[in-house]
Structure formats: structure tokens, C-alpha cells
Amino acid sequence: MPVILQHSRIAELNRVEYRGRISLAEMYALGEYQVSHPDWLAYDLFNLIAADADFSSMSLEDLDGIVVKYRALFQPSELLMFRRSAWVSFSPSSQRHLDHWITRRNTRQNHTQDARQFSTFAEAATWLVLAPDKAAMLETGEGFAEMARLEAP
């Protein structure tokens, strides 16, 4: 099922939505998208894991391999900014994978991103320092343009 990448110029924010059964190929495609679109790395990120999202096709070791690949994404550009990555998940079955992902992302040295999980869209919006009129965008996706839809065959 799809991983949907969106961007809002108004909110200056990227949004990634995970729905259905997520494959390892889709996760690597997400990394490839970022390699091909370095401007994507210039924005904070909001991640939504839908209730039907299922990461069970990949192991935690598979995620570690993705983290290694993602680490390489940030090194060549030598980003001078610090990005935030907020997560809201409605999929209890995906929690173990999300916990592992966030822990791995936040424990590497010289990282350029802080990843945190929130219980509500409002909490995520506050942490991302979104104006109140833009906070609802996180939930609805309104105001975001689809940049890519990653679906394994």
C-alpha cells in the first residue's frame, strides 16, 4: 500500500502518510526519493501512520539497514539546519517499529534531525511551531500537494 509524500509551501512542511501494508521496497524508495530531491531535506516533517498501516513485513534489522542508508543522505549535504520530525500513529501493531525507528534516528552522533512521537495532531503542531490556523492541516492534509506516491507492485 502507499507511502504518500506531500509538501505544503504555506506551512513550509513535508508530510508523509503511511497506509496499509508497508514493504521494505517502499521504505527504500522513500530514501531514494530523498536522494533525488535534496530540497525535501530542507523542511520539518510530519509523519502520519494510519490505523491500517502494517510494517510486519520487515524486521527491526531491516529498519536498521534503512537507518544506515538514511544516515548517508544527510552526510553529503552537510546540512547546517536542525530539522524536526513529528510522528502521530494510529496503528498499535506498528508501535514497535516506530519506537525502534525513532530511537535509532535520535541516538546517532552528529544528527541533524530530532524525531518525536505525539499522541495528538495538536501536540505535534505545537512542537513543529505551526500557527494555529495551519495546525489542522496535519490531520486533513489540506494545503499539501502530493509530491510522490510510493507503492510496491
Side-chain angles (χ1 to χ4, degrees):
M1 291 302 285
V3 176
I4 304 165
L5 288 74
Q6 302 170 312
H7 177 73
S8 170
R9 287 181 187 234
I10 296 166
E12 296 183 348
L13 183 69
N14 292 331
R15 184 178 189 267
V16 178
E17 191 170 332
Y18 301 85
R19 297 198 162 275
R21 189 170 177 84
I22 306 298
S23 71
L24 188 57
E26 289 164 337
M27 293 299 290
Y28 275 108
L30 177 59
E32 291 303 317
Y33 179 87
Q34 292 181 82
V35 168
S36 301
H37 300 86
D39 52 318
W40 179 265
L41 301 176
Y43 297 94
D44 286 337
L45 179 61
F46 174 72
N47 301 275
L48 172 62
I49 300 178
D52 68 343
D54 176 8
F55 290 83
S56 65
S57 68
M58 63 190 86
S59 68
L60 297 182
E61 291 76 23
D62 290 335
L63 286 180
D64 290 342
I66 294 167
V67 170
V68 169
K69 177 145 181 138
Y70 278 12
R71 180 179 297 133
L73 286 174
F74 295 98
Q75 291 172 349
S77 64
E78 297 180 11
L79 292 173
L80 298 176
M81 68 193 83
F82 189 79
R83 297 183 322 130
R84 292 169 294 225
S85 179
W87 292 80
V88 172
S89 176
F90 294 102
S91 172
S93 68
S94 300
Q95 190 61 49
R96 194 179 107 181
H97 286 80
L98 179 56
D99 289 344
H100 186 77
W101 181 257
I102 288 175
T103 299
R104 290 282 296 164
R105 295 293 298 266
N106 286 343
T107 57
R108 64 185 185 161
Q109 293 182 342
N110 302 321
H111 68 286
T112 58
Q113 184 177 77
D114 184 16
R116 295 187 191 178
Q117 183 177 2
F118 298 92
S119 299
T120 67
F121 292 103
E123 291 171 346
T126 298
W127 185 68
L128 289 167
V129 195
L130 291 180
D133 64 319
K134 294 180 180 65
M137 296 171 65
L138 296 182
E139 185 170 1
T140 65
E142 194 172 316
F144 284 87
E146 187 170 308
M147 307 304 289
R149 181 176 290 258
L150 311 172
E151 293 185 71

